Amino acid sequence: MRHRSLLILTTVITTGALTLTACGSRDDNSGSTDSGGKTTVVIGVDAPLTGSLSALGQGIKNSVDLAAKTANKNNEVPGVEFKIESLDDQAVPASGQANATKLVGMKDVLGVVGPLNSGVSQSMQGVFNTANLTQVSPANTNPALSQGDNWGKGEKKRPFPTYFRTATTDVIQGKFAAQYLYNDAKKKKVFVVDDKQTYGAGLAAIFSEEFERLGGKVVGTDHVTVKETDFSSTADKVKASGADSVYFGGQYPEGGLLSDQVKKAGAKIPTMGGDGIYDPQFIKASGEANDGDLATSVGYPVEKLPTAKKFIADYQAGGYKDPYAAYGGYSYDAAWAIIQAVKSVVAANDGKVPADARAKVTEAMSKVSFDGVTGKVAFDEFGDTTNKQLTVYAVKSGAWADVKSATFED
């Protein structure tokens, strides 16, 4: 595996507007049409819309909805009306697989945004691939989803040509976290905890390897169980280890409680995690003040991106009751990538949606390139985003504040 160097970004380039033209209707008479005579194209959404991760899932769904409404308002693909079909996976792989089957069975669905969780995505990929249905995740970070199970040995092989993502992978995120904790936060002895899930365990392993490569020491490891709330035994192990920091691979419900209980055990040290803990709910879950806790997340802070100003304004104007949260910008860009692929396919077919639209859309996705909410949106040979930017956030005065943004390059 090639080494990736970390470069600090000092500027953000303002990108241009998203404008293209095409025509649309369906040429096989199998697509539905609305009252205006337009062909309906459905963008599926799969995310945890209920349960402990619903704050993230609702932001994903709403951002895709906004993209579809924006495309319709701008007549992005003349003759085509975009709609969304959102399904709740509750962060459960079996539910995700059932949802994938349902979306495949809906003939007007030409692309799907989601899911949030890498473990859920593992159960869905094969279903989508069998039907040539494009999937774009705004949040999956497990490298194996796009590069195969042997990616860590340098044997990268794309398992499914239908899989894409607008979030960067844990290969980058884990290294970035380790480099910040060791070089910037000056922590040398870390206790590593994970939730035994695909995302959490994978991220923790990549972090640990890089932290030790830098010269740091992993002084202890432990595992917690999702949806449990008593992590006192882990907290006691952290205190006894003499660690100066904790790294947690998992999501915010468990991460917030872990931070709380570590501090209550007498270890007044920061807890760090990945994008799974970067949410206000992480802070709310802790009864102890957790200023100084750290998280990495994909991309730049959306609020500080010139390219995101319109998205933020439109989202607020849309009246959505839930915030766009950590993955809103990436969800909008994922949906817009599908819209641009549909536009390309329709334009190449004399303004009609072709009979083999799903296969054509998947093929067109590899050539998609536009200036999005989160920056330049394009995909490499594995379907991974070419935008490899990340940010470290710290809890300050009870809220997340960005402290360092960076990009990785080969």
Side-chain angles (χ1 to χ4, degrees):
M1 181 166 56
R2 288 182 293 172
H3 176 66
R4 296 176 183 270
S5 60
L6 183 64
L7 303 175
I8 304 305
L9 293 182
T10 57
T11 59
V12 179
I13 300 173
T14 303
T15 50
L18 310 176
T19 56
L20 288 170
T21 58
C23 305
S25 63
R26 201 174 185 102
D27 69 356
D28 63 350
N29 297 318
S30 61
S32 59
T33 57
D34 63 16
S35 58
K38 290 187 175 183
T39 300
T40 297
V41 169
V42 177
I43 299 174
V45 181
D46 177 87
L49 303 178
T50 59
S52 61
L53 298 179
S54 61
L56 298 175
Q58 290 292 338
I60 291 172
K61 180 194 74 172
N62 293 342
S63 299
V64 176
D65 180 70
L66 179 60
K69 288 179 177 176
T70 301
N72 293 337
K73 179 181 177 181
N74 296 345
N75 199 25
E76 189 70 18
V77 185
V80 170
E81 182 82 5
F82 289 97
K83 296 182 179 180
I84 74 164
E85 176 71 22
S86 56
L87 300 178
D88 180 13
D89 63 31
Q90 298 181 307
V92 175
S95 297
Q97 187 174 57
N99 290 347
T101 300
K102 182 176 180 180
L103 290 167
V104 163
M106 300 174 64
K107 64 181 180 181
D108 293 341
V109 175
L110 297 189
V112 177
V113 176
L116 169 72
N117 306 87
S118 292
V120 175
S121 198
Q122 283 181 322
S123 74
M124 304 175 79
Q125 287 181 301
V127 178
F128 288 136
N129 188 67
T130 300
N132 289 319
L133 182 57
T134 293
Q135 171 193 3
V136 191
S137 173
N140 292 166
T141 53
N142 186 279
L145 295 170
S146 58
Q147 300 174 19
D149 292 336
N150 293 324
W151 64 268
K153 301 176 183 177
E155 301 171 10
K156 297 181 181 181
K157 184 177 180 181
R158 188 176 184 181
F160 302 106
T162 51
Y163 180 81
F164 300 83
R165 56 177 141 201
T166 52
T168 195
T169 74
D170 288 333
V171 174
I172 297 171
Q173 182 172 206
K175 287 184 177 182
F176 180 43
Q179 290 177 21
Y180 182 87
L181 194 64
Y182 185 85
N183 293 326
D184 295 79
K186 306 299 182 183
K187 302 300 181 182
K188 310 302 178 185
K189 298 184 294 181
V190 66
F191 194 102
V192 178
V193 183
D194 69 67
D195 63 0
K196 299 180 282 190
Q197 302 297 301
T198 300
Y199 161 75
L203 181 59
I206 294 167
F207 166 87
S208 298
E209 181 180 357
E210 179 69 2
F211 193 79
E212 291 186 320
R213 187 193 70 80
L214 292 168
K217 185 176 180 181
V218 176
V219 296
T221 61
D222 204 1
H223 311 281
V224 299
T225 300
V226 172
K227 297 186 178 179
E228 286 193 359
T229 58
D230 183 2
F231 306 133
S232 56
S233 63
T234 299
D236 289 340
K237 292 176 186 177
V238 172
K239 178 67 166 62
S241 72
D244 58 17
S245 53
V246 174
Y247 187 81
F248 176 62
Q251 306 284 353
Y252 62 77
E254 293 75 32
L257 292 173
L258 177 65
S259 171
D260 177 68
Q261 292 171 34
V262 164
K263 292 171 177 59
K264 285 179 177 175
K268 304 299 183 181
I269 58 178
T271 294
M272 186 179 198
D275 54 317
I277 73 165
Y278 175 57
D279 191 274
Q281 294 300 322
F282 170 86
I283 300 170
K284 293 178 182 178
S286 178
E288 293 286 307
N290 53 1
D291 279 21
D293 282 355
L294 300 161
T296 53
S297 191
V298 295
Y300 283 114
V302 170
E303 293 77 11
K304 294 188 176 182
L305 282 172
T307 51
K309 288 181 179 179
K310 187 175 187 305
F311 163 75
I312 294 171
D314 288 349
Y315 193 96
Q316 293 172 342
Y320 300 108
K321 68 175 184 177
D322 299 290
Y324 50 80
Y327 305 104
Y330 300 92
S331 301
Y332 186 100
D333 284 347
W336 203 259
I338 293 170
I339 290 165
Q340 295 306 305
V342 170
K343 172 177 283 185
S344 174
V345 168
V346 168
N349 194 52
D350 297 326
K352 298 178 181 180
V353 177
D356 59 346
R358 286 180 173 177
K360 287 289 201 306
V361 167
T362 294
E363 182 181 350
M365 282 292 295
S366 63
K367 301 174 184 135
V368 162
S369 179
F370 61 91
D371 297 325
V373 171
T374 59
K376 191 71 174 181
V377 177
F379 306 99
D380 65 15
E381 68 270 29
F382 300 103
D384 288 332
T385 179
T386 58
N387 183 346
K388 299 173 182 178
Q389 301 165 350
L390 297 110
T391 297
V392 175
Y393 296 85
V395 179
K396 295 182 179 181
S397 302
W400 288 111
D402 57 288
V403 294
K404 186 175 185 177
S405 293
T407 188
F408 276 83
E409 294 182 359
D410 289 326

